[in-house]
Amino acid sequence: MKILVVGGTGFLGAELVRQATTLGHVVAATSFTRPGTPDADWRTLDVRDRAAVRRLVDDVAPDVVVNAAYRQSDWDITAVGAANVALATASGIRLVQVSSDAVFSGAAVTYAEDAVPDPDSPYGAAKAAAEVVVQATNPTAVVARTSLIIGDGGSPHEALVHTLADGDRPGILFTDDVRCPVHVADLAAALLELADSGRAGVHHLAGTDALSRYELGLLIAARDGLDPARLPSGTRADVGLPGRRDVRLDCALTRRHLKTRLRGAREFLS
Ligand SMILES: NC(=O)c1ccc[n+]([C@@H]2O[C@H](COP(=O)([O-])OP(=O)(O)OC[C@H]3O[C@@H](n4cnc5c(N)ncnc54)[C@H](OP(=O)(O)O)[C@@H]3O)[C@@H](O)[C@H]2O)c1
């Protein structure tokens, strides 16, 4: 399979490139501001440039495109960029769009694949808009919603836990902000499995354990030998943020069709 990873320099994108290469796929990947690892055909791309996205897809001629490019605070990159990728693949190229549990507000706590998005943040709205365009433009596309992505030390959340434990910056880990963290290796494997399948539509790819950011911090601290007593905890209200935010992706439907096991954080951080 010839695969194009858009956003290949990111935390998830780099793992996708690594695993796809190991599996023997022909891999092309895009970078925007950071250099890529040597094991792919790297192209520089700004997803906001519709013509450039089209030229790149035509030039690479992939069997499948996985879009993992985004910036949380940038509508044009997250929503318009995803639309540009969808348009460039609409001629029949398989597309896997990585989406997020941020399309849900948490009002219902648990969300299955057929739940209607109700985003309450600009980031969630951009991801929800991207989902709509992707599905309208490329009906065979997979929209893969995921949750907090954790690794073996490389994710922003793991870095934050280390910084807080070291006392290098102020901050707290919320006890009322709950997600279903997933390991980056499990997530990349599941995305590649979906990329190589005939599946279409919304899929949920999250870990089995629902944990607060503080509970997750404690698990990371235990794994990395940090003193858990040094981790500051608190609620969203403590820093003036509204309500609790408990968003759990119900992955039951997706799991029925997936060989890849998505471990819970208690297992992959033990
Ligand atoms: N991280 C999480 O916990 C989490 C949770 C739920 C869903 N997700 C979703 O998972 C996906 C990947 O997340 P991640 O954490 O791996 O992201 P990341 O590490 O921040 O990587 C983002 C990628 O997007 C690229 N990018 C940014 N602006 C671009 C532009 N204008 N044109 C082209 N590429 C651009 C970056 O390229 P450069 O690095 O070269 O600038 C990088 O490769 C995203 O779709 C995100 O919404 C993430």
Side-chain angles (χ1 to χ4, degrees):
M1 178 166 78
K2 190 173 195 183
I3 179 166
L4 171 62
V5 180
V6 178
T9 47
F11 182 52
L12 173 60
E15 180 64 15
L16 282 165
V17 169
R18 193 191 67 75
Q19 286 194 24
T21 305
T22 304
L23 288 169
H25 298 305
V26 177
V27 184
T30 74
S31 66
F32 180 49
T33 60
R34 293 181 282 185
T37 50
D39 46 3
D41 171 12
W42 285 95
R43 313 291 183 97
T44 303
L45 179 72
D46 183 343
V47 285
R48 292 169 294 187
D49 183 340
R50 182 164 299 171
V53 176
R54 162 84 60 188
R55 274 196 307 276
L56 177 72
V57 171
D58 287 350
D59 188 43
V60 173
D63 301 306
V64 58
V65 175
V66 181
N67 181 22
Y70 91 121
R71 286 275 191 264
Q72 200 167 110
S73 54
D74 194 308
W75 175 273
D76 282 345
I77 295 173
T78 305
V80 180
N84 292 341
V85 174
L87 285 166
T89 60
S91 54
I93 297 171
R94 203 160 159 65
L95 172 63
V96 177
Q97 165 70 20
V98 182
S99 193
S100 170
D101 57 9
V103 300
F104 299 120
S105 68
V109 180
T110 302
Y111 295 87
E113 284 86 345
D114 60 356
V116 177
D118 63 341
D120 63 352
S121 68
Y123 169 53
K127 294 301 279 188
E131 289 188 357
V132 172
V133 181
V134 163
Q135 291 187 285
T137 314
N138 188 333
T140 63
V142 168
V143 168
R145 295 188 188 126
T146 190
S147 189
L148 207 54
I149 308 173
I150 304 296
D152 298 322
S155 71
H157 191 77
E158 290 161 280
L160 173 67
V161 169
H162 276 254
T163 315
L164 292 174
D166 292 344
D168 288 343
R169 58 163 274 190
I172 56 173
L173 294 172
F174 295 136
T175 52
D176 56 354
D177 196 309
V178 175
R179 298 288 187 285
C180 296
V182 65
H183 194 281
V184 66
D186 297 351
L187 176 58
L191 289 167
L192 291 174
E193 185 184 336
L194 288 172
D196 206 8
S197 75
R199 310 271 323 149
V202 175
H203 291 71
H204 281 182
L205 301 174
T208 43
D209 299 327
L211 296 168
S212 72
R213 288 186 189 258
Y214 178 62
E215 290 170 311
L216 183 62
L218 291 178
L219 290 175
I220 291 167
R223 179 196 66 184
D224 295 349
L226 307 173
D227 179 0
R230 293 185 63 87
L231 289 183
S233 65
T235 63
R236 292 167 61 85
D238 291 337
V239 295
L241 288 170
R244 64 200 290 269
R245 195 175 181 86
D246 189 342
V247 183
R248 307 174 189 212
L249 292 182
D250 176 349
C251 307
L253 241 162
T254 300
R255 280 211 177 85
R256 258 182 249 153
H257 302 284
L258 214 58
K259 288 197 201 79
T260 306
R261 200 164 73 83
L262 299 165
R263 293 166 293 163
R266 289 193 184 88
E267 179 181 349
F268 67 70
L269 287 169
S270 66

